Amino acid sequence: MCGVTEGYEPAFYFRSANYNPNVDFKATVSLLPLPEQGHECEAPQKPLDERVELPDSSAPELAWCNNVRIRMMGTTFASLNEFTQRSSDLERFMKETKELGYTVVMTSGMHGRHLFPATLDRGVENIGTITEAAHRHGLKVIDHHDTTYMENWEQGVRVMAERAGELGFCVADFNPTPQFCLSNSVFTQTYRSYVKKLLAKGIDALQADELYFYQHGCLCPACREAFHRDTNWYLPYNELDTRLTDHKSSFWKLWFAWRNAQIGNWWVDFRREIKGKYPHFVLSMYGCHWEQMKSQPRYNMTTDLGNQGRAVTLFGTEVMTRNPYCNARSLLPYRRLYNMYRLGFNAPPIWTWYYTKDWNVAYFSWAVSNMMGQCAMLDDPTTLPPDGIDFPKFSGSSDNPPLATLSSAARAAFWLNAASRDYNSVIGVESELGGMTQCFEQTHIPYDIIEDHAFHNDELLARYKVLFVGSSGCMTDDDVARIKTFARAGGTVWLGSVAGFFDRWGKERAVWPFKDVFGASPQWKKPQKLAEILQHNGASLTLAAWKNPYKHVFPISCPPEGRVLLSGKTENGGEMSLLIGVKYGKGEMLYMASVLYSSLFCAEIPKGSKWPYKGFPELEAILRSALAECAEPAALWSVNTPDLVYTNILKQKDGTLCLHFLNGNGTQTPHGFLIENSSPGDAWPPIREDITFTLKNTRPKEIYAVSPDFAGRVKLAFTQKGNDATVVLPKEQLMAYTLVVVR
């Protein structure tokens, strides 16, 4: 392709000289063994190697990760020249960033960098200039770019043609795809050389996008060689072989697990490659909310942060809805969910990237992250609107405790079991865990969501008094043993519907592993439909007219020594136990025979869509009451507050409690409402009652409230009765977001 001009060209990209060289087509030949069809899996299977390589998190060089406040520099469309052309602009940006209380700058580096091969080195130089300026002002730099992704614009097709041997192969037809394959050694060497250039320029961290296997691949020669090396099996050559597409086959499950392991190992190997020169290299990885709870094999998504965490220093999130405010129902549990990586990997505080141009939505988003002990990265909020609240100023002030000093005070935990998320039958983990946690928010009992690493950590699991296993159907024998040990030691365990019905890979067990606890097994293959819920007080709720797919219940009888917490009537008129409890050792095991909580789940809804969730307030109130009753051992306080005031409790090492209150009364999005950029109405409807709360086993010396909404520290009076302290937060002291500090 020839340029249209050879004269003056003001742009840094799209220059004529970049297109004049002839295309260099390289031939690629791969010699591979051809196994006999149908005999690819006869050799003994090797166990997957999931090696770990992480820097010492206590090293002084990594201390900055524990208190990140990130400011975005540019967008994914940046040329990297906007600030580097004039040094005064760059200095002004860094000075302002420091004064606003930020600690980190994230450059939007060479996104689509494969499309601009002639300008890669110039981009590295620009990032180096930015990094030097940031370091002069005591700021750290994270470079954010993509890795394997190709696009059909600029020089994308040309680069694909020149580097065809590095591309992935589509499973459906074995043709090359528009992505590089991470198994390919040439791509690996080329990309790692690029990253080493960035490291030589002094960047402090890397946020790398799209280093995974795409949903349509991969069957390239490099993957075939690596799969055989790691598993002792071969990938079939027949594109019609059903094992390549049957997600329930043992072969496909191994292949999927291998791909996830391959990604984590790729980063582990890179860490080891550069460890001598860059021992404190910070690798940041993020994902979206929905990716963490959906069945990854079902959607063929190799985006498991829990696996990549074997090499990740810093975890982040990209919130894709464009209006987190309207999605408050799911946002709060999702933000707790991402803290599971901090818990499971002993990682620094999580950072979160929100997209919004609305000041109130940005304030709400920041507040949600702040109350979860996380960092919010927002579209640059440096221009305060006339009626806006200056939350960025409060964020960097001494009244807002540094993230590094905060940890969760929760004594209740919900377990997100990856095997059940991926291979459950009958009921999906996403809907049930999502519905339970969205309902649980308004119990005001602080809770964590933990993943498998935390679940298998004895010291961490011992923090909790209540463990919600939910419908984690796919468990190992060790998982079952740990759950029973937790209850025997005095903990409360909640089992849901299909808990433990299957093994790690989703194969049905011959005997329910909790039959010895309850004296019977749920009849999950003979479900009945629920028509009515019966409550302790004699009241009932009719479900006959309620059209919902989550009305089925699995019959189980309550043993004589047990208790029934919730019961109901089926459509055939029979009465049935819905929630039963049995003493087990020093603790209690509960079993929920219904999947009703799945009906309470509302997924994230993007801007431009109509709000689909109708809700069933009467049902949610009953189910919330059941959760609160079972989680009572984990209740740190009792609190009287309007329904949509969100709360959380964090603690500091010296015992100081940080109680967070967020006014969410405006977030109740009506059914059918078109989600736009802003809140549906008044973002902060006035709180009409004072909030009263009683802290258990607490003898405070001082209690005060601080907020972006008012100046100074407002002392709060309290009364002490035994070991419990009762406090009143006046309604005037909660306009949008208030932090109550208890010393």
Side-chain angles (χ1 to χ4, degrees):
M1 179 178 180
C2 295
V4 296
T5 177
E6 301 300 335
Y8 172 68
E9 296 177 287
F12 271 71
Y13 299 97
F14 311 108
R15 289 188 169 186
S16 180
N18 299 340
Y19 305 88
N20 287 334
N22 293 325
V23 179
D24 182 14
F25 294 105
K26 295 183 177 68
T28 301
V29 177
S30 299
L31 299 177
L32 299 168
L34 185 64
E36 184 178 351
Q37 187 172 339
H39 296 270
E40 295 89 349
C41 308
E42 289 187 346
Q45 179 190 324
K46 293 181 184 177
L48 291 179
D49 176 19
E50 296 186 343
R51 44 196 180 270
V52 178
E53 185 67 47
L54 289 166
D56 179 6
S57 60
S58 65
E61 292 85 352
L62 296 179
W64 66 271
C65 297
N66 293 313
N67 199 34
V68 293
R69 290 196 66 234
I70 306 174
R71 185 183 188 187
M72 193 69 195
M73 188 176 189
T75 69
T76 54
F77 300 104
S79 71
L80 295 175
N81 185 52
E82 290 85 352
F83 293 101
T84 56
Q85 194 167 23
R86 291 194 306 181
S87 59
S88 58
D89 290 344
L90 185 58
E91 285 297 312
R92 183 167 57 251
F93 178 88
M94 294 302 175
K95 183 175 182 292
E96 177 188 73
T97 300
K98 186 70 174 180
E99 290 173 349
L100 287 169
Y102 291 100
T103 61
V104 179
V105 169
M106 181 178 285
T107 62
S108 198
M110 290 295 287
H111 286 276
R113 61 191 184 81
H114 304 300
L115 315 181
F116 303 93
T119 60
L120 282 175
D121 288 341
R122 183 188 298 126
V124 169
E125 291 300 319
N126 283 344
I127 292 171
T129 301
I130 291 169
T131 301
E132 288 178 7
H135 287 175
R136 284 196 297 272
H137 290 268
L139 300 165
K140 300 294 183 180
V141 175
I142 302 175
D143 183 55
H144 177 205
H145 64 245
D146 52 34
T147 54
T148 62
Y149 188 51
M150 292 289 296
E151 293 181 277
N152 184 19
W153 63 280
E154 187 41 21
Q155 296 194 56
V157 173
R158 173 181 179 141
V159 172
M160 287 171 59
E162 292 188 317
R163 300 175 62 181
E166 302 169 53
L167 300 176
F169 280 25
C170 182
V171 173
D173 54 19
F174 293 10
N175 282 323
T177 66
Q179 291 90 26
F180 293 118
C181 181
L182 62 95
S183 295
N184 188 282
S185 60
V186 178
F187 164 76
T188 295
Q189 182 180 1
T190 302
Y191 174 65
R192 288 180 179 173
S193 296
Y194 174 75
V195 175
K196 288 174 186 176
K197 290 180 181 179
L198 293 173
L199 291 172
K201 291 296 181 182
I203 66 166
D204 301 284
L206 173 67
Q207 166 58 49
D209 286 5
E210 285 98 28
L211 193 107
Y212 52 72
F213 293 98
Y214 291 77
Q215 292 169 299
H216 47 249
C218 175
L219 285 174
C220 74
C223 276
R224 292 182 179 277
E225 287 185 310
F227 181 75
H228 177 64
R229 176 198 67 211
D230 295 341
T231 67
N232 221 18
W233 287 5
Y234 291 96
L235 290 167
Y237 277 90
N238 180 1
E239 69 271 22
L240 301 179
D241 195 312
T242 57
R243 289 172 296 176
L244 294 173
T245 53
D246 180 7
H247 293 196
K248 294 184 178 181
S249 73
S250 57
F251 171 84
W252 195 93
K253 290 177 180 179
L254 174 65
W255 183 28
F256 184 82
W258 171 82
R259 279 177 280 169
N260 267 318
Q262 181 84 334
I263 298 167
N265 289 343
W266 195 98
W267 285 113
V268 165
D269 293 344
F270 180 55
R271 274 200 176 280
R272 292 178 177 176
E273 184 178 321
I274 64 172
K275 187 176 181 179
K277 193 170 184 179
Y278 303 105
H280 303 110
F281 165 61
V282 172
L283 174 63
S284 176
M285 283 289 176
Y286 67 23
C288 301
H289 287 152
W290 60 271
E291 291 174 321
Q292 309 312 307
M293 291 206 301
K294 285 188 181 296
S295 169
Q296 299 209 344
R298 182 173 300 160
Y299 296 94
N300 203 8
M301 302 185 305
T302 55
T303 53
D304 187 356
L305 283 179
N307 200 307
Q308 296 171 37
R310 295 181 284 116
V312 173
T313 323
L314 199 59
F315 291 90
T317 322
E318 186 176 19
V319 181
M320 301 297 290
T321 62
R322 270 55 178 180
N323 193 331
Y325 182 95
C326 285
N327 282 274
R329 182 176 178 87
S330 62
L331 180 65
L332 274 291
Y334 275 138
R335 295 318 314 142
R336 293 186 195 267
L337 179 145
Y338 260 85
N339 272 345
M340 71 185 183
Y341 295 117
R342 184 180 185 187
L343 292 165
F345 291 94
N346 192 29
I350 309 299
W351 61 269
T352 311
W353 190 355
Y354 296 100
Y355 300 97
T356 179
K357 299 294 185 183
D358 182 272
W359 188 267
N360 285 325
V361 174
Y363 183 9
F364 186 87
S365 303
W366 168 82
V368 169
S369 283
N370 201 61
M371 68 192 289
M372 299 302 170
Q374 301 172 0
C375 162
M377 186 171 73
L378 301 159
D379 288 334
D380 206 0
T382 53
T383 304
L384 180 67
D387 59 346
I389 299 168
D390 196 356
F391 68 89
K393 181 180 179 181
F394 176 86
S395 178
S397 74
S398 59
D399 281 332
N400 192 40
L403 298 179
T405 68
L406 299 170
S407 62
S408 172
R411 294 295 176 263
F414 289 79
W415 178 31
L416 175 54
N417 171 230
S420 301
R421 175 199 66 193
D422 290 344
Y423 294 113
N424 245 23
S425 296
V426 184
I427 191 69
V429 165
E430 179 188 31
S431 63
E432 202 215 39
L433 177 61
M436 286 185 75
T437 52
Q438 289 176 13
C439 178
F440 196 80
E441 280 293 333
Q442 293 304 310
T443 67
H444 299 292
I445 298 174
Y447 72 94
D448 292 329
I449 298 176
I450 61 173
E451 45 73 76
D452 294 332
H453 293 84
F455 176 78
H456 288 98
N457 182 322
D458 292 338
E459 183 179 351
L460 199 150
L461 196 60
R463 294 183 187 179
Y464 303 108
K465 294 178 181 289
V466 179
L467 176 64
F468 289 95
V469 172
S471 292
S472 294
C474 303
M475 299 184 194
T476 65
D477 291 342
D478 180 61
D479 294 337
V480 173
R482 294 184 70 79
I483 290 168
K484 291 181 177 179
T485 298
F486 181 88
R488 274 197 301 268
T492 299
V493 173
W494 173 299
L495 302 173
S497 61
V498 299
F501 283 11
F502 316 104
D503 69 7
R504 157 73 181 86
W505 297 103
K507 182 180 179 181
E508 183 184 347
R509 290 176 178 269
V511 179
W512 189 42
F514 300 103
K515 182 178 180 180
D516 62 316
V517 178
F518 295 93
S521 298
Q523 299 177 43
W524 68 281
K525 292 186 178 180
K526 297 179 180 180
Q528 297 188 34
K529 285 191 175 181
L530 198 61
E532 190 176 358
I533 294 179
L534 306 177
Q535 298 175 255
H536 293 317
N537 59 8
S540 64
L541 179 65
T542 300
L543 305 178
W546 182 48
K547 295 180 180 180
N548 194 283
Y550 299 113
K551 292 166 70 171
H552 51 282
V553 59
F554 307 138
I556 187 172
S557 57
C558 182
E561 69 276 13
R563 62 176 180 138
V564 177
L565 290 84
L566 205 60
S567 60
K569 288 184 178 180
T570 61
E571 290 183 347
N572 61 16
E575 191 166 325
M576 185 176 297
S577 300
L578 298 181
L579 179 60
I580 61 176
V582 175
K583 290 291 183 182
Y584 190 75
K586 297 179 181 179
E588 184 177 28
M589 299 274 277
L590 301 151
Y591 175 72
M592 178 65 175
S594 167
V595 296
L596 281 171
Y597 285 98
S598 292
S599 69
L600 305 180
F601 174 62
C602 180
E604 287 180 310
I605 307 301
K607 186 185 74 171
S609 301
K610 291 185 178 180
W611 188 252
Y613 185 70
K614 292 183 178 180
F616 193 163
E618 297 83 2
L619 174 63
E620 183 160 0
I622 293 171
L623 295 179
R624 182 186 302 135
S625 178
L627 287 171
E629 182 178 353
C630 297
E632 176 59 29
L636 302 176
W637 63 347
S638 61
V639 57
N640 178 26
T641 176
D643 265 357
L644 284 177
V645 170
Y646 295 106
T647 64
N648 195 29
I649 302 180
L650 300 176
K651 63 180 181 180
Q652 295 183 285
K653 293 179 181 178
D654 64 0
T656 298
L657 295 178
C658 302
L659 316 180
H660 299 260
F661 297 85
L662 176 60
N663 181 357
N665 279 305
T667 65
Q668 195 160 8
T669 309
H671 178 256
F673 178 80
L674 182 65
I675 305 296
E676 297 177 335
N677 290 319
S678 58
S679 59
D682 182 2
W684 316 112
I687 303 296
R688 302 193 182 279
E689 306 171 0
D690 293 344
I691 295 173
T692 304
F693 58 91
T694 299
L695 294 163
K696 300 179 180 181
N697 301 311
T698 304
R699 287 182 167 273
K701 296 178 180 178
E702 178 188 22
I703 302 178
Y704 62 86
V706 290
S707 172
D709 306 321
F710 54 80
R713 298 180 176 184
V714 177
K715 286 191 175 183
L716 300 180
F718 63 92
T719 57
Q720 192 77 41
K721 187 176 182 180
N723 290 324
D724 298 344
T726 298
V727 188
V728 176
L729 176 64
K731 58 182 181 294
E732 294 81 12
Q733 255 60 65
L734 178 57
M735 288 172 268
Y737 170 66
T738 296
L739 172 60
V740 174
V741 178
V742 181
R743 299 190 186 280

